[in-house]
Amino acid sequence: MYPTRFNPSPICPYPYTYPIYCHPYPPIHILRSFPPVNPDQFIQSAKAMEVLMNSASKLLDKMAKSREYSYNIMTAAQESNQTKVNQLIESADLNNHPKVTYTPDGLTLNFQSAGDQSAHLSLKLKWTTMQM
């Protein structure tokens, strides 16, 4: 009637035919209580992100429309001239200036909200295609 390796024990009360591991204790479901929702900080972060997005949009628009501007940023980055890259980014007349890092194949712009730092925006722009 039962398979040859039937073991009805309190630890593993199910019949099995293959060696399996049974959990000795049933799962415990803990009911969590969450604090009441207060959207004030969330709204403040959203407003700060709006400002960052406007600055980023303005910079991206300038990069997309000016071939000379993009060329100058790429050249300065490839020459590891951080001060020139920063000067070029600051010349875009932005409300928030990003922290700029670069690699041989692209540029990373990290915008951070002023003061409370409740919002952070990171943009990665690539200028090379991977050759295999």
Side-chain angles (χ1 to χ4, degrees), residues 2-16:
Y2 292 113
T4 56
R5 299 187 70 187
F6 176 69
N7 183 15
S9 71
I11 293 176
C12 191
Y14 307 106
Y16 61 91

Side-chain angles (χ1 to χ4, degrees), residues 27-67:
I28 298 172
H29 300 288
I30 300 171
L31 297 175
R32 298 181 190 171
S33 62
F34 295 103
V37 176
N38 182 359
D40 293 338
Q41 178 63 42
F42 190 68
I43 291 169
Q44 184 179 354
S45 294
K47 288 178 181 177
M49 185 58 78
E50 257 185 329
V51 174
L52 296 182
M53 295 280 286
N54 288 337
S55 293
S57 179
K58 189 174 183 180
L59 180 60
L60 291 174
D61 190 48
K62 185 169 183 175
M63 287 177 177
K65 290 183 177 176
S66 174
R67 186 172 182 84

Side-chain angles (χ1 to χ4, degrees), residues 41-98:
Q41 178 63 42
F42 190 68
I43 291 169
Q44 184 179 354
S45 294
K47 288 178 181 177
M49 185 58 78
E50 257 185 329
V51 174
L52 296 182
M53 295 280 286
N54 288 337
S55 293
S57 179
K58 189 174 183 180
L59 180 60
L60 291 174
D61 190 48
K62 185 169 183 175
M63 287 177 177
K65 290 183 177 176
S66 174
R67 186 172 182 84
E68 180 185 356
Y69 183 72
S70 295
Y71 177 83
N72 290 337
I73 289 177
M74 288 174 62
T75 304
Q78 287 180 341
E79 292 171 353
S80 295
N81 191 344
Q82 182 74 46
T83 54
K84 179 140 188 199
V85 171
N86 289 340
Q87 286 173 352
L88 288 165
I89 298 294
E90 288 173 8
S91 73
D93 192 32
L94 306 173
N95 294 335
N96 293 74
H97 295 286

